[in-house]
Amino acid sequence: MGMYGKTWLALAVVWGLQIVGSTCCLAQADPAAEPAVLAVAKVLPAVVNINTERVVRRTVRDPIEDFYAQFFGYYRGRPREIRQTLQSLGSGFIVDPAGYIVTNQHVVERAADLKIQVTTNNGKTYSAHYITGDEKKDLAFIKIDSKETFPFISLENISPNLLGETVLVVGNAVGYGSSISRGVLSATKRDIAIDNMEYKDLVQTDAAINPGNSGGPVIDISGRLVGISSAKMAFTPQGVPTQGLGFAIPADVVRENVTKFKAFAEKHPGQKIQPTVEETPTSSNSERLFGMQLQDMSTDLTQALGYQPGRGVLISSVESDSPADQAGIERGLVIYKIGRHDVNSVKEIESVLSRASSGTSVDFEVGVVRATGVQRVENVTLAAR
């Protein structure tokens, strides 16, 4: 082979290598092989859209009627009761093949007549029920009412949550299912307050978090959980508008709480929160002296009523024309204190009232403290009969 033949052969080899290299580059540039695409495909079957519906009963009066009653002595009719249906949208994700879902507590706020429906990524809709939750952590645990086996996101191997790592927000943004946004992990251990709710030790991201994303997963490009979308700060406490400030409950907090929630579910298999109040033995002193029947505030009852856990004793019945009835005390209120004594069980109230007799004046702190922190409590003095 001559010199020119060898030269052409060398050039052919170089061109061939370039063609092969270009083919390899094109294969690597395939969108289907992008880490973010693979991560989304991995977790999306476990992400659900959550639709909750609850009926609120409200008592209203006609304001014109009130005006005439005040100034002209016009007969005031009885107030009307109206029923209002409230709906909310959010996200969640399955953490167990049996259909257990973790989401934000504010997505599935407890109510006696709460209706929960979840829609999976393949378009199937299921009924679900609330199991338990943690108001302070803003986490809740619900279960799909089905015996099917579901894809789930494992909490065994979570993201290391490194500053600057790429994160993906998956969820039901503004009602559009299976929405994805992308950003970086901007900060950790953030404490914020939004709409009178305090959040602690959150991770911060500039990935877009919109209404409906709450409760959905934030993942890294390996498909590992970074956290649960929780809040978006549109304005600072001083009213300054912000951009790119989204927050999530970190994955290690989620994993710890899911372990507790599962333990609760195992102890209460098949349990659904019900609004009914089971009768328990009454406090003889409270009934005999003041006309009140009392009941301990169990965890399930506290959750069903939406009251602050671990405090007070429920008034389950008030005798007509008794001292309690004459003072305006009603069934469903809670006794938080008698005199200087905090009371959290019927037994404690029995002990305090054991020293009371006919004619004794006793100070009660009565009212309702909601799990959200909103409270309406009054001091009432009752004379024992």
Side-chain angles (χ1 to χ4, degrees), residues 174-196:
V174 293
Y176 294 108
S178 305
S179 293
I180 313 295
S181 60
R182 179 171 179 159
V184 300
L185 197 154
S186 308
T188 60
K189 298 188 179 301
R190 292 295 200 211
D191 296 345
I192 64 171
I194 297 178
D195 296 332
N196 297 320

Side-chain angles (χ1 to χ4, degrees), residues 93-225:
F93 58 94
I94 303 170
V95 294
D96 186 279
Y100 289 101
I101 295 170
V102 65
T103 183
N104 285 142
Q105 177 67 29
H106 71 263
V107 171
V108 288
E109 289 185 74
R110 294 183 295 270
D113 44 8
L114 182 65
K115 179 182 178 181
I116 305 175
Q117 286 190 324
V118 300
T119 303
T120 55
N121 186 57
N122 60 7
K124 291 186 177 180
T125 298
Y126 302 85
S127 295
H129 66 273
Y130 180 91
I131 297 176
T132 186
D134 188 323
E135 192 81 26
K136 293 182 179 179
K137 295 291 194 305
D138 194 23
L139 291 172
F141 206 47
I142 65 177
K143 187 182 184 305
I144 297 174
D145 297 328
S146 173
K147 294 183 178 180
E148 296 180 38
T149 299
F150 296 90
F152 65 99
I153 295 177
S154 174
L155 300 181
E156 295 297 323
N157 184 21
I158 60 177
S159 175
N161 287 3
L162 305 176
L163 293 182
E165 74 177 18
T166 299
V167 297
L168 305 166
V169 174
V170 187
N172 187 31
V174 293
Y176 294 108
S178 305
S179 293
I180 313 295
S181 60
R182 179 171 179 159
V184 300
L185 197 154
S186 308
T188 60
K189 298 188 179 301
R190 292 295 200 211
D191 296 345
I192 64 171
I194 297 178
D195 296 332
N196 297 320
M197 180 174 286
E198 292 186 357
Y199 300 87
K200 295 185 179 296
D201 294 330
L202 301 184
V203 294
Q204 177 186 326
T205 175
D206 65 347
I209 294 178
N210 292 287
N213 277 132
S214 291
V218 180
I219 61 172
D220 62 18
I221 56 174
S222 294
R224 296 173 298 184
L225 185 69

Side-chain angles (χ1 to χ4, degrees), residues 16 44 53 60 107 126 128 191 228 255 283 300-301 343 360-361 380:
L44 200 55
E53 179 180 299
V60 297
V107 171
Y126 302 85
D191 296 345
I228 289 183
R255 179 169 60 185
S283 169
D300 297 341
L301 183 57
V343 289
T360 302
S361 293
V380 179

Side-chain angles (χ1 to χ4, degrees), residues 227-246:
I228 289 183
S229 299
S230 186
K232 176 186 177 182
M233 183 180 287
F235 296 90
T236 68
Q238 293 76 31
V240 179
T242 65
Q243 289 185 343
L245 283 180

